[in-house]
Amino acid sequence: PIAAIVAKAPTPVISIQKPKPKPKPKAPKMALPRIIIRTDGPLPLHVAIAKIKQEFAMRRPHKDLTLGWEGACSRFYRELKRHPWISTSKRFVFDAPVPMLHPEIKQAYAAVVKHPMDLTTAESKLLQGGLYQSAQEFVNDISLVFANAVIFNKAGQEQGDPTSCAYFDASQHLLRYSRWLSMELISQFLVDDGHAEGAAQTGPLSQWNLTTSNQRDARKEMHEIVMKHDLDGSEEGDRYTWMESECEKLLKSLRHQSDIKRMTFFLQPNYPADYFGYISKPMAWETCHRRLQERLYKTMGEVASDLRLIFSNALKYNGRMKDKDPVSLAAYDSAVDMSGKLEVAVQRMLVTVADRIEREKVEEIVLGREQEIARKNEEERLKKEWQEERERGVVPGSRTQMAPTTNQTVKIISRRKKQEGLDFEF
């Protein structure tokens, strides 16, 4: 018989699929609400800055301002914001309107200051575009910030108020620093007024014109402050002081990788046989560097003079043969190029060092004023305490000399030093 094999059918598996939940409808995107800031009380600094920027919604980033006078003003403003009294100082605030930060003096401030201005507003107007027509207008607003502080704090400074005195002195210096900085960073857009005659534009001016004559006055003023100032020196082998570090930066500005070929002529004190017949005082870069390391320089002007002497000697000696000798021509052209780079580095150093020298003078005055106030307050406190003790019938200073209230036994022991065993007269 044929065996029939019947395969057993598999048991069916029943799966129950749950219906997928319907996605919730997304809420329509809505425009962000305008931030409403209450102004009925004093505002924190960051809130006041945010409120000002909110009024200039079309502001561009600084990186987009690279060309023209707007780019120069952007670089000037960013460098100004790096000043220690503006960037990190909690004592001096120029980034927001005074009435926002101190509404209690709003009326008094408005009575004195007719054209208020702050750094954030000036920056926002520059980034907005179309609100300034020239670099001069932007610089005028920057100077107005510090000039207003001088005007408002003048009365308090005359009365000896410490806060007013500090703001008055700091604002006067920032006016000078802003003028120096603007003359260097916006130099491409200065108006050439020739050799204009008149009083030199020096000191804390409330406003200045961007002209070539004012640039010469500013550089002369910085030169007088820096080059004749005594070099704050250290001992040989010790760490450089900040002034010596600035001199070292000046030397290193001539040793960039791109200037190796040009500086080959001026590094070592190797001179031709007839060199001393034309040059009475030879100078080389290594000689300047060694003199700085040995602390032989007394002023920053001596460092700059020696560096300038390197290239003036090269121009004098190689100028005779530059049309005949290719080596003399290469040395002459290199001296012309490096002399120009040296002057650029010197001008950059003048701004930095002049600012710090004058800033330290102001800080010393402010510190001395604060110490004098603290001394007077301590005298008043001691005087008041002495009067209160007299009113209570206590002899001033007697509390520390009163006899003990408990019975104490004082034992006095007199010991005579032993002289035995000494080999000298005791």
Side-chain angles (χ1 to χ4, degrees), residues 397-402:
S398 63
R399 286 178 295 181
T400 58
Q401 302 175 2
M402 293 176 63

Side-chain angles (χ1 to χ4, degrees), residues 104-158:
E104 67 278 4
I105 62 172
K106 182 177 180 179
Q107 294 182 354
Y109 188 82
V112 178
V113 177
K114 304 303 180 183
H115 304 284
M117 182 54 62
D118 59 273
L119 293 179
T120 304
T121 300
E123 178 197 23
S124 299
K125 290 173 65 176
L126 176 66
L127 298 178
Q128 182 81 1
L131 300 179
Y132 291 124
Q133 303 303 319
S134 64
Q136 183 68 64
E137 295 182 6
F138 176 71
V139 171
N140 288 346
D141 273 358
I142 294 295
S143 64
L144 188 61
V145 175
F146 307 119
N148 286 343
V150 172
I151 294 173
F152 180 72
N153 291 282
K154 183 174 179 58
Q157 186 262 349
E158 293 175 350

